[in-house]
Amino acid sequence: MRPALLNPLFASAQTLAGIGPRLILLLKKCLTLPPGISEPRVIDVLWHMPTGVIDRRSQPRLTEAIPGTIVTLELRVLKHKPSPRGNTKAPYKVTCEDDTGRIDLVFFHAEHKFIERQLPVGEIRFVSGRIERYGDNLQMAHPDYIVSPEAKNEMPLLEPVYPLTAGLSGKITLKAARQAVERVPDVPEWQEAQWLKARAWPNFKDAVGRVHQPHEAQDVSMGAAPWQRLAFDELLAGQLAFALVRKNLKTERGRKLSGSGEIRAKIASALPFSLTGSQTTALEEISADLAASHRMLRLLQGDVGSGKTVVALMTMAIAVEAGAQAAMMAPTEVLARQHIDTIAPLAEAAGLRLALLTGREKGKARDAVLSRLASGEIDILVGTHALFQPDVAFKDLAIAVIDEQHRFGVHQRMALQAKGANGDTNVLVMTATPIPRTLLMTHYGDLDVSKLTEKPAGRKPVVTKAAPIELLERLIDRIRAQLAEGAQVYWVCPLIETSEASDLAAAEERFAYLRQLFGDVVGLLHGGMAAKEKDETMAAFAANRLKILVATTVIEVGVNVPNANIMVIEHAERFGLAQLHQLRGRVGRGARESFCMLLYKAPLGETAEQRLKMMEETEDGFKIAEKDLELRGGGEILGARQSGAPGFRIAEVPGYENLLEAARDDAVLMLEKDPNLVSPRGQALRTLLYLFECDEAVRLFRAA
């Protein structure tokens, strides 16, 4: 159960004064809500962090006020000058004074009665806003605040500025945030006293208070002590949760697997090349995991073309050698069929019985696969999300391989694990997106990691050049010459807006243009096509009946046509580095020299220019991933933000990497000293886990 002292923070945001059904809908639009939460709560308001601050502390007399600055003035109301009847364009003016001069407060399209109530003649009012000079007169248009002397404390002299949405004002958001701060309880300190002292960080309650009700303008800065403290809290909660889940996996009884090596030897001898050093190392690490008494949960990360599929097949072969079954799950049908095509000849040479299960297999064909699977006649099942449907039953699933892990949520991984007889399936997850170390720690903290850093022998470098779209005709002449020599071309069109329709239009337009030039050797592939049509198009391209394949980014992952040696990417400036690198990985797979042409529309922005330059300079996916992280931040590098991958609300701050390292070290040391979090600090850290909603970890220590 969540500690009772936190309950006020997890109440609906509608319990805050002034937040009714209309505003709750606007807050829902504006706030970042965690997966599975449909209505904003007080805690979501609390984590809605300001992006800046308005400083209203300057309180000059009128003769000292500097035009163009924001000031707070103590004024006496002299007279009202309503706009003339029938002239809606003329402003309503209220003349006010202090001991040194006069100023007009100016209102356009104003409601007269409201202004009369706000500024009664003869009364003193504190007024805050931007002062300007208009001719010889001072004026302030639409003051931000008008308050009586008794209500002066309600005006924030340092006013946080929040991200807003249409219909939601800064004042309402500030009022809600202040109320949320009032609900923050006195919590036990979960940070080490020395660590806090060395950094001069405030306690949790003060840190939250100072971000939403700053003492100094810099309190709202991401680099300031209050925000850094909260960022570290969020990172520590995440690292502690990962460490708990990982510790639990290590202590969960796994299934020891060690095969004779006979099937693996047959696969190795059927390979057209010998395994690279990093493939051999990865297989040794995997074999050691499988032979241990705990369950394997390992991430295999390798660059495009580094040979992950072979490592996956060898891993699955260990299960079959031990008399059990294995499964391989891919995020798309195209990729699942690609895996089958790649491993089928090797599996056949080794006597492995393969089958495919996707959403397309229906009726009798599907029933036949399920029947053979349940009886143990299938050794390895390859498929999509269809693998973890309730009616898919294995006779004895011992190893599950999950490709492109970031396309699946953690709960989907667990659903596949549960298909094992005792829920003790060993899991290998793979990604072709090389992941920088900081992202490994935040997105994959519960996994052991193996890296494939070499490319198999025979892989040729891809010559990469960026060129303006104006050189299109010259490029087409080059392609015509290459086609005469037997080349094949991928031509990728981007998502112009975030709609399927525009994506399609761009690809179809280019397809029609190239068809006019080259005839029916040009094909089209996009996400809106029927699965059968997609397969037929890919098969025609793989068989060299089509010479040019115009496609959307559906070809980004896993498509393998060794003869294709030219990749043209239109509007390359609109793609992220990771995506450009994935697309380039579709060529350079055969004996022919390969090219990647990055067509862009000038002028290029600075970031786009850096991306394209990086692509020209290196093919090292790990270097590219680090650059992508630097240019884009961690949110997008793994593709879209996915459930199961934490998105930070506070922690994306300057010095993030150093804070993350420290949080990881602290979490590991803490669990070594106090594995069940029962010490005073351990109990306080439990509160932290609840506060940042690390539910999976909380569930584990509740069960302990």
Side-chain angles (χ1 to χ4, degrees), residues 173 194 293 298 308 318 322 465 627-628:
T173 310
Q194 282 175 300
S293 57
R298 182 169 285 277
K308 291 180 300 299
I318 298 173
K465 288 271 180 275
K627 186 71 173 176
D628 207 18

Side-chain angles (χ1 to χ4, degrees), residues 335-525:
L335 192 48
R337 290 181 183 279
Q338 188 73 56
H339 282 316
I340 277 277
D341 292 345
T342 305
I343 66 180
L346 299 170
E348 194 178 330
L352 291 168
R353 297 167 296 179
L354 279 182
L356 177 71
L357 186 68
T358 69
R360 203 193 310 180
E361 278 69 48
K362 291 189 170 63
K364 285 183 180 173
R366 187 173 192 274
D367 291 344
V369 170
L370 294 184
S371 165
R372 289 172 55 222
L373 188 69
S375 67
E377 291 169 56
I378 292 171
D379 297 318
I380 294 174
L381 181 65
V382 178
T384 56
H385 298 71
L387 292 191
F388 50 74
Q389 300 302 321
D391 62 342
V392 178
F394 291 79
K395 184 183 181 191
D396 184 13
L397 178 65
I399 293 177
V401 176
I402 302 176
D403 196 14
E404 293 302 319
Q405 150 77 11
H406 63 272
R407 307 279 181 100
F408 299 104
V410 171
H411 58 287
Q412 291 168 315
R413 184 174 85 198
M414 289 176 169
L416 190 55
Q417 269 175 267
K419 296 280 183 190
N422 302 308
D424 59 359
T425 308
N426 293 287
V427 176
L428 178 70
V429 296
M430 306 197 300
T431 176
T433 309
I435 305 165
R437 186 161 179 273
T438 49
L439 286 188
L440 272 177
M441 285 160 67
T442 51
H443 291 265
Y444 295 98
D446 58 333
L447 289 93
D448 294 305
V449 180
S450 293
K451 268 187 184 182
L452 300 182
T453 52
E454 305 156 77
K455 294 202 176 175
R459 273 265 176 166
K460 294 207 168 159
V462 178
V463 178
T464 304
K465 288 271 180 275
I469 192 81
E470 287 75 19
L471 297 181
L472 182 65
E473 285 184 24
R474 198 185 301 176
L475 173 64
I476 283 171
D477 288 342
R478 289 272 306 278
I479 285 173
R480 193 173 271 116
Q482 283 275 326
L483 292 183
E485 293 172 18
Q488 280 180 281
V489 182
Y490 289 109
W491 194 298
V492 176
C493 296
L495 186 67
I496 287 176
E497 294 160 358
T498 48
S499 82
E500 192 72 27
S502 60
D503 188 11
L504 213 57
E508 285 182 333
E509 201 177 301
R510 182 57 70 209
F511 167 68
Y513 172 73
L514 293 173
R515 197 92 190 232
Q516 281 180 340
L517 297 176
F518 294 102
D520 58 9
V521 295
V522 183
L524 176 65
L525 186 72

Side-chain angles (χ1 to χ4, degrees), residues 685-698:
L685 284 165
R686 289 182 177 220
T687 304
L688 173 72
L689 288 168
Y690 277 109
L691 188 65
F692 283 97
E693 300 177 81
C694 299
D695 295 351
E696 184 62 22
V698 164

Side-chain angles (χ1 to χ4, degrees), residues 86-101:
N87 184 355
T88 53
K89 288 185 180 176
Y92 186 121
K93 294 183 180 180
V94 181
T95 304
C96 302
E97 67 174 3
D98 69 5
D99 296 341
T100 66

